[in-house]
Amino acid sequence: MSFSRSSNAVRADSIDALSMDELAAAIDIGRPDAFVQLGAAFLTRLPAAPVPDPYLVAVSADAAAQLGIDPASVQKVAQDPAFSAFFAGNPTREWPAERLPYATVYSGHQFGVWAGQLGDGRAIGLGEIEHDGKRLELQLKGAGRTPYSRMADGRAVLRSSIREFLCSEAMHHLGIPTTRALCVIGSDMPVRRETIETSAIVTRVSPSFVRFGHFEHFYSNDRVEELKALADHVIDRFYPQCRDADDPYLALLSEVTLRTADLMADWQAVGFCHGVMNTDNMSILGLTIDYGPFGFMDGFNAHHICNHSDTQGRYSYSRQPQVGYWNLFCLAQALVPLFGSHYPEEGRSERVIEDAQRVLEGFKTAFAPALESRMRAKLGLAETREGDDKLANALLEVMHANRADFTMTFRNLAKMSKADALNDAPARDLFLDRAAFDAWANDYRARLAEETLSDAERAAAMNRVNPKYVLRNHLAEQAIRQAKEKDFSEVERLMRVLSRPFDEQPEFESYAGLPPDWASDLEVSCSS
Ligand code: AMP
Ligand code: MG
């Protein structure tokens, strides 16, 4: 059994022994270097607002394992009404003052426009759990109003909470950096969106929830001391290697730039659209964060806009890398006051700007090869040849023209043979314009002839990077429809399927298929 933490060890030595009290006690809010210790300029301490009759919708055993909770044990403790109450934000006892949760303040650029102060408008931090030398912060999303809620209600609906829960876990299993989700707790408390819906709370789990927008907040308010405290917190906790650089803050920008470039390459390579890449939705750790109107593409459209509210297409699929780069500019701008303290006063500002620009250039030098190497792997090319990027782009063009299914196309390419076209059909049949596919397939086969891997070896390698199962909109929708009827089995099943995205799972073949007709007009918007 395995529920322990290294300090003040809370140990349960049998599965039955893990109680909700022990789980709650393991959440540590008092570490000297925790975000919450940054103090009042950064956050407001407040209790969650209780919800009536909370119930368990889903729990992720895998996320629990990250926290050191034995998967079997969490399944069991999750059935305890005290679990639902706790992760709904309804404590059984009054929150002791020193354990009071916290909502943090940030600002940001939304859809390219400075939006001023934002903040955790519906999320509160509970503290951290340490396991295996790693510390993870727990945050309840949808737990009530905070001083940063503006005109909104501090709540999240069941529908968007299930989507966030499933996608965080699915992304993790795809190997893409992301915040995690421990559980979804529902309540029949009505919440007004376009229609009346019911509310839910997701427990998010991450090493940190710091966003680009946290830095922009202190920069925009000319609070350099707090800006520095925040940067020092992030460096000390997450990028300690930056301390050795001449300019630790520039080194921080560089690290974040590289992680963001990698993340953009990861998203592009699985056909994932985030939907709301505002600077307040950009993680300082390069994690996918704030799942709202995201989407995995079915038929490939390079300019796909997954967010119905994004009328200009600012966050379309093809623009994501560019927007990541734009957001890094905002972060760089916010860090400017911290740069260059090792330079003499004379000429410092010019040198600082040059440094920042050079570091940001690193995005371009990192992103293109990062995406190229992912595309090469997706095509099963073990060797590197001039023109591989053209071959990949040519495929994307034919896919775009034919709206060929993104996930199925790459998955089915693995079935092709390098000798002849006899096994082309599974991929080829996804293209209306068969001749266009054949032309590309000829070039592909010519390229495969330069590879030493056998067809079987190549297929195995491709199947490790081209998922068979992704969280298609219609799959999430099906699980949501059932959940609204209080049947949560489909959420559970879908999570299970998506926890092995690269494996053949014959019993779940239908989860890998094209979306049904009823799903063609599904829309997701910022409403959540
Ligand atoms: P998002 O577009 O979800 O990233 O949200 C942008 C900002 O609005 C963040 O500061 C959120 O905390 C806040 N927000 C979104 N929805 C709500 C809500 N229902 N209640 C309070 N704040 C919200
Ligand atoms: Mg957000």
Side-chain angles (χ1 to χ4, degrees):
M1 150 76 217
S2 63
F3 191 53
S4 64
R5 57 175 187 155
S6 34
S7 63
N8 306 328
V10 173
R11 277 204 158 276
D13 289 320
S14 80
I15 286 171
D16 290 343
L18 173 58
S19 69
M20 196 48 232
D21 279 348
E22 285 168 317
L23 181 47
I27 302 175
D28 192 340
I29 201 168
R31 288 291 188 86
D33 58 349
F35 184 91
V36 67
Q37 305 291 3
L38 287 169
F42 296 81
L43 48 92
T44 302
R45 307 274 307 244
L46 79 171
V51 291
D53 306 318
Y55 47 83
L56 178 72
V57 173
V59 62
S60 164
D62 197 86
Q66 303 292 306
L67 297 166
I69 309 168
D70 180 85
S73 184
V74 80
Q75 295 294 353
K76 196 152 186 199
V77 73
Q79 306 306 321
D80 181 346
F83 182 94
S84 298
F86 184 84
F87 289 107
N90 302 2
T92 40
R93 289 185 275 287
E94 190 110 324
W95 300 91
E98 70 282 2
R99 294 190 71 110
L100 211 52
Y102 48 95
T104 76
V105 64
Y106 50 80
S107 295
H109 284 84
Q110 297 186 317
F111 291 89
V113 177
W114 177 245
Q117 184 186 305
L118 305 163
D120 297 324
R122 51 173 167 175
I124 54 166
L126 296 179
E128 301 171 327
I129 290 185
E130 177 168 341
H131 172 63
D132 259 358
K134 296 196 190 90
R135 288 159 63 183
L136 292 167
E137 204 175 333
L138 280 75
Q139 186 186 70
L140 304 183
K141 179 173 177 179
R145 302 195 79 239
T146 78
Y148 317 111
S149 303
R150 296 176 290 167
M151 305 304 285
D153 60 7
R155 294 299 176 189
V157 295
L158 179 66
R159 148 181 70 79
S160 67
S161 302
I162 289 175
R163 281 171 51 87
E164 168 142 18
F165 173 81
L166 287 173
C167 200
S168 327
E169 294 308 280
M171 289 294 256
H172 166 73
H173 292 290
L174 286 168
I176 300 179
T178 178
T179 60
R180 303 291 304 272
L182 175 65
C183 59
V184 182
I185 307 297
S187 163
D188 288 345
M189 187 178 73
V191 177
R192 184 181 293 277
R193 295 292 180 265
E194 285 80 3
T195 59
I196 302 289
E197 301 185 49
T198 65
S199 65
I201 294 102
V202 185
T203 299
R204 306 201 286 192
V205 178
S206 177
S208 169
F209 292 98
V210 172
R211 302 141 189 274
F212 291 9
H214 280 98
F215 292 88
E216 292 179 279
H217 180 72
F218 295 104
Y219 169 74
S220 68
N221 287 299
D222 218 4
R223 292 168 76 168
V224 178
E225 208 175 299
E226 284 87 357
L227 181 67
K228 181 169 179 307
L230 178 64
D232 285 337
H233 165 80
V234 169
I235 291 174
D236 292 343
R237 284 287 310 275
F238 307 106
Y239 296 99
Q241 69 280 18
C242 292
R243 281 279 168 237
D244 303 331
D246 288 341
D247 188 335
Y249 306 108
L250 191 68
L252 172 64
L253 177 66
S254 177
E255 295 282 343
V256 179
T257 299
L258 298 180
R259 285 206 196 178
T260 305
D262 261 341
L263 183 67
M264 295 304 107
D266 280 336
W267 288 358
Q268 299 306 98
V270 289
F272 174 80
C273 300
H274 181 282
V276 202
M277 288 178 67
N278 295 335
T279 55
D280 53 298
N281 290 338
M282 296 293 290
S283 153
I284 202 69
L285 300 184
L287 309 173
T288 313
I289 191 171
D290 274 15
Y291 292 88
F294 67 83
F296 282 87
M297 258 184 285
D298 296 307
F300 179 57
N301 171 0
H303 312 300
H304 179 65
I305 305 164
C306 65
N307 179 357
H308 192 63
S309 319
D310 180 9
T311 46
Q312 305 291 311
R314 178 178 173 85
Y315 299 138
S316 69
Y317 170 81
S318 57
R319 297 197 60 181
Q320 294 190 126
Q322 224 175 300
V323 173
Y325 186 49
W326 192 93
N327 289 343
L328 285 160
F329 264 82
C330 296
L331 177 65
Q333 180 72 60
L335 290 171
V336 161
L338 305 183
F339 292 153
S341 61
H342 61 305
Y343 290 141
E345 188 79 45
E346 174 79 26
R348 180 187 292 166
S349 51
E350 291 78 14
R351 294 176 79 175
V352 155
I353 299 302
E354 276 169 29
D355 282 350
Q357 283 173 339
R358 178 173 40 76
V359 163
L360 289 170
E361 277 297 297
F363 181 90
K364 292 191 214 155
T365 33
F367 173 74
L371 184 58
E372 268 171 48
S373 78
R374 282 164 183 73
M375 293 308 288
R376 198 173 282 118
K378 288 178 82 65
L379 293 177
L381 306 175
E383 290 157 37
T384 304
R385 292 278 190 279
E386 185 92 16
D388 285 349
D389 54 336
K390 288 202 185 65
L391 184 70
N393 286 334
L395 173 62
L396 291 172
E397 275 168 32
V398 190
M399 285 167 64
H400 171 84
N402 286 267
R403 296 295 190 267
D405 187 82
F406 190 93
T407 306
M408 283 173 83
T409 299
F410 282 104
R411 186 76 182 185
N412 290 355
L413 286 183
K415 298 178 178 147
M416 289 173 62
S417 152
K418 68 190 202 182
D420 54 48
L422 292 177
N423 298 322
D424 283 6
R428 183 177 190 261
D429 290 350
L430 297 166
F431 295 75
L432 210 57
D433 182 353
R434 302 289 207 278
F437 176 83
D438 291 342
W440 180 82
N442 273 340
D443 293 343
Y444 181 44
R445 233 183 307 279
R447 174 64 183 81
L448 289 181
E450 297 172 32
E451 293 279 318
T452 50
L453 292 183
S454 69
D455 281 343
E457 289 166 332
R458 188 184 73 253
M462 290 172 80
N463 288 343
R464 285 194 292 272
V465 295
N466 293 318
K468 173 144 179 165
Y469 302 97
V470 294
L471 183 59
R472 293 173 185 268
N473 260 338
H474 75 276
L475 298 176
E477 179 66 20
Q478 195 65 56
I480 290 163
R481 287 182 186 178
Q482 291 189 25
K484 284 182 175 170
E485 304 298 321
K486 294 280 189 317
D487 171 2
F488 307 125
S489 60
E490 188 58 22
V491 178
E492 213 276 321
R493 194 173 307 115
L494 194 46
M495 182 175 53
R496 206 148 26 93
V497 174
L498 296 172
S499 73
R500 296 166 52 211
F502 301 106
D503 293 355
E504 293 292 332
Q505 303 179 54
E507 68 279 32
F508 295 120
E509 195 62 31
S510 63
Y511 288 72
L514 296 172
D517 289 343
W518 63 260
S520 61
D521 55 358
L522 282 180
E523 276 170 3
V524 279
S525 71
C526 277
S527 150
S528 60

